């Protein structure tokens, strides 16, 4: 057969397509072998609030239920320590790593190190910078809440229930973390569509109760007319209540407090009238996290994003749902 120019073109196109296939295959996240039982890592970011404790308890209970060995580390609020924790899991030869990346960028090297060691990573609860790492290639998937939607839901509640309270202080979560970035974006974008509302200050309280209290105190002094505080988590909302009271004001009456997380203490504060509304951020990861690992080992296609459903609490349902809050 005479090889025509057309043949050459076709075969080089086929070769190029094959090359793309090969490079995509080699870019896939490391596989997980099918086994009876696994040794998996869970790299927690910190343990300073009920949300984290509930998440850890859910992971530990699930590991125990299945008879899997869980290598647990707590980065104590340090992204650098969390990178070291992941490296130590790699050295211990775990089969898979569940990682709750404290911030969006600093944990990228840890994900790449695990990939280099052929250990799959499943991101739990916090995401990483999507321009630097990709689901299905660098890590298997992200399991967690839609933080943008959480911020939107609380903003929409405020718009519908503000009763003239329109001057807002925002307490942001940990700088550079995906929930802080996205809860801010979701909330601020909705508020921007309603010009009668104004965010007069927005500052980080690092998702922590006492930091939240201190920042709220300073911001209430600078903006004595503020009558709404939106906190990116319960801990800072509870700190903000103390700041409001220290300023001689009544939480729930003079200043509306809005929160995200929905732990029992916060839902009780909704019942008590001190917190106006809370979007739950579901911390019960265990069953879904372990099921996803098994599905991955079975060769099932794993979606890039696996979203947890979140409850919403305000005065209309908090008493009734209190016993179901974590
Ligand atoms: O809201 C907060 C925690 O990443 C979704 O981190 C989580 C957040 C949660 O410390 O309380």
């Amino acid at each position: 057969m005479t090889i025509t120019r057309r043949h050459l073109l076709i075969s080089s196109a086929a070769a190029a397509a094959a090359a793309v296939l090969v490079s995509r295959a080699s870019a896939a996240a490391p596989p997980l072998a099918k086994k009876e039982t696994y040794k998996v890592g869970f790299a927690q970011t910190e343990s300073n609030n009920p949300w984290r404790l509930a998440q850890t308890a859910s992971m530990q209970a699930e590991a125990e239920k299945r008879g899997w060995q869980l290598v647990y580390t707590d980065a104590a609020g340090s992204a650098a320590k969390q990178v070291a924790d992941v490296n130590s899991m790699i050295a211990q030869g775990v089969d898979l790593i569940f990682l709750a990346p404290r911030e969006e960028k600093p944990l990228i090297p840890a994900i790449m190190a695990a990939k280099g060691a052929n250990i799959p990573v499943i991101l739990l609860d916090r995401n990483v910078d999507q321009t630097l790492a990709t689901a299905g290639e660098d890590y298997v998937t992200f399991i967690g809440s839609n933080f943008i939607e959480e911020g939107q839901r609380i903003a929409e509640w405020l718009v519908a229930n503000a009763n003239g309270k329109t001057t807002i202080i925002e307490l942001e979560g940990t700088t550079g973390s995906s929930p802080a970035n996205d809860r801010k974006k979701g909330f601020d974008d909705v508020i921007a569509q309603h010009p009668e509302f104004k965010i007069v200050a927005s500052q980080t309280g690092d998702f922590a109760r006492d930091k939240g209290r201190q920042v709220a105190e300073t911001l209430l002094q600078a903006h004595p007319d503020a009558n709404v505080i939106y906190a990116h988590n319960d801990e800072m909302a509870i700190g903000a209540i103390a700041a409001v009271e220290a300023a001689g004001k009544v939480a729930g009456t003079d200043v509306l407090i809005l929160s995200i997380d929905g732990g029992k203490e916060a839902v009780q504060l909704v019942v008590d009238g001190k917190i106006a509304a809370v979007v739950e951020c579901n911390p019960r990861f265990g069953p879904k996290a372990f099921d996803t690992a098994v599905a991955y080992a079975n060769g099932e296609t794993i979606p890039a994003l696996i979203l947890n459903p979140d409850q919403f609490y305000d005065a209309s349902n908090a008493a009734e749902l209190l016993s179901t809050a974590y």
Side-chain angles (χ1 to χ4, degrees), residues 41-289:
F42 173 40
Q44 179 57 287
T45 159
E46 54 215 348
S47 299
N48 61 346
N49 70 40
W51 193 97
R52 292 277 146 212
L53 298 178
Q55 185 191 34
T56 299
S58 174
M59 293 295 287
Q60 284 170 339
E62 196 63 26
E64 205 166 308
K65 196 174 127 195
R66 295 181 192 239
W68 292 17
Q69 191 186 335
L70 189 69
V71 177
Y72 171 76
T73 55
D74 177 349
S78 157
K81 174 167 186 316
Q82 201 174 25
V83 173
D85 289 344
V86 170
N87 284 331
S88 127
M89 288 174 183
I90 295 170
Q92 291 174 61
V94 296
D95 296 306
L96 175 141
I97 295 170
F98 294 111
L99 170 65
R102 187 167 199 275
E103 290 141 59
E104 286 194 326
K105 288 191 172 75
L107 270 298
I108 299 287
I111 292 174
M112 298 309 174
K115 184 181 183 184
N118 213 30
I119 298 171
V121 170
I122 292 180
L123 298 183
L124 290 191
D125 111 63
R126 292 189 184 174
N127 215 330
V128 291
D129 187 322
Q130 294 297 291
T131 64
L132 300 176
T134 307
E137 290 182 17
D138 304 311
Y139 59 92
V140 177
T141 182
F142 164 82
I143 307 176
S145 290
N146 183 335
F147 303 127
I148 293 188
E149 199 178 278
E150 290 175 343
Q152 286 168 346
R153 287 174 83 186
I154 206 81
E156 278 155 12
W157 185 94
L158 177 65
V159 169
N161 297 278
N163 259 329
K165 291 194 164 51
T166 55
T167 308
I168 307 164
I169 287 173
E170 182 167 351
L171 299 178
E172 301 168 19
T174 296
T175 304
S177 71
S178 67
N181 291 341
D182 292 354
R183 287 171 183 171
K184 180 167 180 61
K185 180 170 173 36
F187 182 87
D188 291 11
D189 285 355
V190 170
I191 294 302
Q193 290 159 25
H194 298 273
E196 67 275 26
F197 289 89
K198 202 163 159 218
I199 300 168
V200 291
S202 183
Q203 208 175 298
T204 183
D206 202 17
F207 280 134
R209 188 177 296 206
D210 203 51
K211 184 85 190 291
R213 181 190 59 77
Q214 288 169 34
V215 173
E217 253 178 46
T218 309
L219 295 180
L220 282 167
Q221 276 160 18
H223 304 277
D225 56 333
N227 46 23
V228 178
I229 297 179
Y230 161 48
H232 287 188
N233 80 343
D234 286 351
E235 288 299 293
M236 296 188 296
I238 294 166
I241 294 173
V244 167
E245 289 172 351
K249 294 180 179 175
V250 180
T253 309
D254 300 322
V255 182
L256 288 184
I257 315 262
L258 307 170
S259 181
I260 297 180
D261 268 2
K264 223 179 212 59
E265 189 177 356
V267 179
Q268 179 65 56
L269 287 163
V270 177
V271 176
D272 300 343
K274 293 193 177 188
I275 293 181
V278 191
V279 181
E280 182 192 37
C281 182
N282 197 334
R284 304 168 191 89
F285 280 81
K288 202 175 275 181

Side-chain angles (χ1 to χ4, degrees), residues 15-31:
V20 169
L21 276 178
V22 167
S23 75
R24 289 216 56 92
S26 67

